[in-house]
Structures are given as C-alpha cells and as structure tokens.
Amino acid sequence: MAYNYQQQQQYRPPAPQGVDPNFLAGVFQRIDTDRSGSISANELQRALSNGTWTPFNPETVRLMIGMFDRDNSGTINFQEFQSLWKYVTDWQGCFRNFDRDNSGSIDKNELKTALASFGYRLSDRFYDVLVRKFDRLGRGTVAFDDFVQCCIVLQTLTNAFRHHDQDQDGIIRISYEEFLTLVFSLRS
C-alpha cells in the first residue's frame, strides 16, 4: 500500500464568490419549516439534493451537522448554516470537477483521481472497498452525498491514525481495546 499520509492534505476548495446574505437568509427560512430558528437533521436532509433523486444520505447529514453545530444543540442556527452552505457548495464544485463524464456520480477511477489529488495513495483493491462501502444505490458508483461522507470518514480516520503514528512511518501498533477505543471515540 503506497499511501503516504504525511503528504496528504485536507481538501480546502476556494471560497464561493459573492453569496448574497439576503439570499442565504431566504434559503435558511425555507429550510426551517417548523420556524424554530434552527435547522434539524430532518429539515436539512429534505433540503439537500444528491443528484440521484434519492434522499440525501442521513449519515452524511449527521456528520455535517456535527461538524458545524458549534453550540452542540443538535441543530444548525443561521450563523452555522452560513458555514455549512459554503462547505456544501465547495464540495459540489469539487465533485463536479472529478465527475469527468458528468454522470452525476463518481466511479472508481474518478474517486481514485479525486483522492489522489488530496494526497491519498491507496491500492485498487482498497478503492473497490470504498466504492462498495459508499455506493448506496448498488451501481458501482458514489453519489455526491456519499462522496462527501467518504471524504469526511477518510479524513477522520487518517487524523486518528496520524495521532497514533508517533514516528510518522505509516505503521502503528495498538491493542484490540485501543483500536476499539479509537474507533468508537472518533467524532467527525
């Protein structure tokens, strides 16, 4: 396995140009269907589109709310929503960039190109595992929302591994219980 995580960098796409705050306030109000002043996971899931005419992956929604819910309320307020909007918009641009055939999903080779551009050097066999894991529709491809989830999970696991790789050689030695603790304590 030729992955060198020391060279891997977290993808940070450029900021979207000129988003009108009034536009975002209107979007926020349309998503906040119960008029609570915050967006729940269910409201966010209904509002997001993955391009496949299927509901947005609830696990991806959960991960994104966890990333942007600064006050730990379990919901997204307007300020948090602005950050989440930029994040989703940036990932859409990234996804479109790697969806070379404009199919609306990413196949194994496109996923490999995307992750290689982020610094990952993984085996073809591992890419098969990733496609199987993140292909909810059984088509051998990964939809937008599942691509975002794949990248978040991969980055989270890489950071956890890096924390335990004291000499930065790409090898860690941990006990079974340490492994379980590591996996169950991960927060995306």
Side-chain angles (χ1 to χ4, degrees):
M1 193 141 337
Y3 173 61
N4 185 349
Y5 71 87
Q6 291 90 358
Q7 296 173 359
Q8 179 268 330
Q9 298 173 6
Q10 187 169 3
Y11 176 68
R12 299 192 192 286
Q17 297 295 319
V19 177
D20 179 6
N22 292 326
F23 169 75
L24 277 184
V27 171
F28 183 86
Q29 288 173 352
R30 283 191 299 280
I31 296 171
D32 181 19
T33 56
D34 66 0
R35 303 292 178 242
S36 65
S38 61
I39 296 172
S40 69
N42 288 337
E43 289 171 322
L44 184 59
Q45 182 184 18
R46 284 192 303 268
L48 293 172
S49 170
N50 66 9
T52 63
W53 303 104
T54 58
F56 211 83
N57 186 327
E59 180 61 16
T60 306
V61 172
R62 185 195 68 74
L63 288 170
M64 289 191 309
I65 285 187
M67 291 170 64
F68 292 97
D69 178 18
R70 302 291 180 235
D71 61 1
N72 294 318
S73 65
T75 60
I76 300 292
N77 64 32
F78 181 67
Q79 182 180 357
E80 295 163 339
F81 175 73
Q82 289 175 304
S83 298
L84 180 115
W85 177 272
K86 179 187 177 318
Y87 184 79
V88 170
T89 302
D90 292 345
W91 274 112
Q92 284 174 328
C94 172
F95 183 82
R96 286 187 193 114
N97 185 46
F98 294 109
D99 180 15
R100 303 275 189 215
D101 61 0
N102 295 313
S103 65
S105 61
I106 290 184
D107 65 23
K108 176 183 164 182
N109 289 328
E110 291 166 332
L111 181 62
K112 187 175 182 177
T113 300
L115 294 181
S117 78
F118 303 158
Y120 290 98
R121 303 294 179 262
L122 305 165
S123 71
D124 278 344
R125 202 167 107 217
F126 188 74
Y127 283 106
D128 291 334
V129 169
L130 285 177
V131 170
R132 275 193 310 276
K133 170 74 176 159
F134 294 100
D135 173 18
R136 286 186 303 139
L137 301 177
R139 297 180 180 161
T141 60
V142 179
F144 169 66
D145 51 339
D146 300 314
F147 173 72
V148 173
Q149 182 185 352
C150 174
C151 292
I152 293 169
V153 168
L154 199 53
Q155 181 66 41
T156 302
L157 291 171
T158 299
N159 290 342
F161 185 93
R162 184 179 288 137
H163 176 75
H164 285 81
D165 187 9
Q166 301 298 320
D167 58 1
Q168 303 293 296
D169 67 354
I171 299 171
I172 62 174
R173 181 172 170 84
I174 58 176
S175 70
Y176 180 62
E177 189 168 326
E178 288 171 317
F179 170 75
L180 291 176
T181 301
L182 170 72
V183 170
F184 287 121
S185 66
L186 290 177
R187 180 172 161 104
S188 301

